Amino acid sequence: MIRTILLGSLCTFSLMASVCVTPAAAETANLLGVFGNWSAFSTGTGSSMTCYTMSKPRARQPKATKRGEIYLMVSDWPGRKVKAEPEIVPGYEYKAGAPVTLAVGPDKFTFFSRNEAKSGTAWLQSLTDGERLIDTMSKGVSAVAAGTSSRGTKTTDTYSLQGFNDALAKIHAVCNM
């Protein structure tokens, strides 16, 4: 699955690397730039090209909880005509049926979760909220993701939105979206 390629391309999400190789599919993810707290990448070519921007949380609660890679990302999939798809990766498997939310200021957006290969991901529950969420993020200061692990631990991760607009503009330009 392409999401596996994107996750693998983190290669520990080094902001200094300009090219990363994904272990799962030997695809190359190219660093397009670092914009404040957000990094932009592209991978693939032609109809399989994907562009995405991602950020690690600036704060996480509880701090002592052992977790894998944690980030918030927004992807463009030109071959599928999908623009600015948000995704939350919490670094753990989600508890089945537990709510996942992303709050930006007073606005809260509901996500659905999915667990695969001992890791969880979450996407917007309602596709019609996509534009509003991206618009809200572009005007916001921070975003707070909240979820519950399969062990019942409630977590919150706070992301700075500094640089989000520039990173988003970069992936849209590279993927012609």
Side-chain angles (χ1 to χ4, degrees):
M1 179 144 88
I2 291 184
R3 290 189 194 289
T4 304
I5 295 168
L6 295 177
L7 295 176
S9 69
L10 283 173
C11 52
T12 65
F13 191 41
S14 171
L15 297 178
M16 304 305 275
S18 61
V19 178
C20 300
V21 178
T22 63
E27 284 254 355
T28 300
N30 299 304
L31 179 66
L32 303 173
V34 177
F35 306 90
N37 292 308
W38 289 78
S39 295
F41 298 88
S42 68
T43 187
T45 58
S47 64
S48 67
M49 184 173 199
T50 304
C51 299
Y52 55 100
T53 182
M54 59 195 324
S55 181
K56 285 190 163 195
R58 299 316 252 172
R60 59 182 221 157
Q61 294 294 328
K63 291 180 183 176
T65 304
K66 185 178 178 183
R67 295 162 68 182
E69 292 288 336
I70 307 165
Y71 51 92
L72 174 62
M73 67 188 292
V74 176
S75 303
D76 283 350
W77 309 77
R80 297 186 340 203
K81 296 180 177 36
V82 175
K83 181 179 180 180
E85 179 183 49
E87 180 179 351
I88 301 168
V89 178
Y92 57 75
E93 286 186 88
Y94 282 111
K95 180 177 182 178
V100 179
T101 60
L102 185 67
V104 182
D107 296 310
K108 190 179 271 190
F109 299 86
T110 303
F111 283 61
F112 72 92
S113 64
R114 182 172 149 188
N115 295 320
E116 186 175 297
K118 298 200 180 222
S119 64
T121 52
W123 297 276
L124 265 177
Q125 183 89 26
S126 173
L127 293 177
T128 59
D129 284 342
E131 272 188 55
R132 188 170 67 89
L133 171 57
I134 297 303
D135 184 57
T136 303
M137 287 174 69
S138 71
K139 296 173 184 170
V141 174
S142 64
V144 179
T148 305
S149 75
S150 60
R151 295 179 181 179
T153 305
K154 294 184 183 204
T155 64
T156 57
D157 300 311
T158 304
Y159 297 87
S160 168
L161 295 173
Q162 182 207 8
F164 174 73
N165 291 334
D166 292 334
L168 189 65
K170 183 66 172 184
I171 68 167
H172 288 341
V174 170
C175 270
N176 295 315
M177 303 281 298

